[in-house]
Amino acid sequence: MPDARDTTLAFYAQEADAYAEWSGQDRDSENLETFMGLLGRGAHVLELGCGGGHDSRRLLDRGFEVLPTDGSPEMARQAERRLGRPVRVMRFMELDVEAAFDGVWANASLLHAPRAELAAILQRVHRALRSGGVFFSSFKEGDEEGSDSLGRHFNFPSIDWLREQFEQVAWTRLDMERRSSNGYDGIGVSLITVWARR
Ligand SMILES: C[S@@+](CC[C@H](N)C(=O)[O-])C[C@H]1O[C@@H](n2cnc3c(N)ncnc32)[C@H](O)[C@@H]1O
């Protein structure tokens, strides 16, 4: 059976151009504005799964030091075009730094992490943050991991399950909210947004 991570990244490889274009339209920047407001001037930000690079663009334009990353080389190339700088090709599980960032931004990206890996990834994010660092991530709510009609893998967590994964790490603050949104497959979804502080 193909690995869920590979089929998801194969989807983004094939759709890189169209996805980068679609995801730049009518972008809701409320969470990103909140995130930037929580960081100090010139703070260092890691973006996980940056896609077309729209959020990294905004962060750079506001004077933050940004390391944009994505697990798909094709998406990374899309972001490089938008950002005019190198984007690191890195899968979530390859994150391996200590106290290097003031903020980690993972909009609609960790929702693709297999359930069995999520707690370990959160551990890596926690380690990558400096004390007091801010972490934003968002997930499509559900009750069982699986694929969408486009073949992408999602962990589809409930709020309770997600909280259990986050609570395996000692965050000093953890807040979760629900929002409604639309996916690339055109289907309305309930998004769980998670704010955590190291
Ligand atoms: C739904 S898109 C979101 C992109 C961007 N954050 C945005 O808000 O437009 C998910 C992104 O996560 C990336 N991704 C999926 N699985 C990944 C993995 N295992 N490691 C790193 N990135 C991954 C995809 O290539 C894609 O760019």
Side-chain angles (χ1 to χ4, degrees):
M1 211 172 112
D3 186 297
R5 289 162 299 192
D6 295 337
T7 46
T8 302
L9 289 171
F11 166 86
Y12 285 105
Q14 205 179 324
E15 290 287 308
D17 202 3
Y19 188 85
E21 165 90 23
W22 174 83
S23 58
Q25 293 160 11
D26 303 326
R27 236 180 134 74
D28 179 356
S29 56
E30 196 185 326
N31 288 319
L32 187 56
E33 286 295 327
T34 304
F35 180 77
M36 293 190 287
L38 292 169
L39 298 171
R41 250 177 99 120
H44 286 233
V45 176
L46 166 69
E47 180 167 18
L48 292 175
C50 69
H54 304 283
D55 290 342
S56 275
R57 176 74 272 157
R58 220 176 166 102
L59 285 155
L60 286 164
D61 289 347
R62 294 282 275 274
F64 294 101
E65 288 287 326
V66 185
L67 175 60
T69 68
D70 200 281
S72 154
E74 295 78 5
M75 285 306 318
R77 273 202 294 276
Q78 288 291 327
E80 279 175 351
R81 250 178 253 156
R82 183 154 289 100
L83 302 172
R85 61 168 65 202
V87 170
R88 186 174 298 175
V89 176
M90 186 190 84
R91 293 188 181 204
F92 308 134
M93 280 296 274
E94 290 171 333
L95 175 62
D96 189 16
V97 290
E98 195 166 347
F101 298 99
D102 306 295
V104 175
W105 178 253
N107 185 63
S109 56
L110 292 180
L111 38 61
H112 291 310
R115 279 191 174 210
E117 279 184 0
L118 187 61
I121 294 168
L122 299 177
Q123 196 103 45
R124 285 168 185 266
V125 170
H126 186 269
R127 186 167 163 263
L129 281 168
R130 300 188 176 121
S131 176
V134 186
F135 173 35
F136 173 86
S137 55
S138 55
F139 299 83
K140 283 189 184 182
E141 187 173 12
D143 47 25
E144 204 183 351
E145 102 181 288
S147 298
D148 69 358
S149 62
L150 304 172
R152 296 177 298 175
H153 179 85
F154 287 87
N155 41 41
F156 288 134
S158 65
I159 285 212
D160 288 346
W161 184 85
L162 200 52
R163 190 174 287 281
E164 274 172 35
Q165 309 313 303
F166 272 82
E167 284 179 348
Q168 292 183 38
V169 188
W171 304 101
T172 58
R173 200 173 161 161
L174 186 62
D175 296 294
M176 297 192 180
E177 290 165 12
R178 272 198 189 91
R179 305 193 153 215
S180 48
S181 182
N182 274 313
Y184 187 61
D185 57 4
I187 296 175
V189 284
S190 166
L191 271 191
I192 304 174
T193 57
V194 187
W195 294 92
R197 255 200 202 264
R198 179 168 179 173

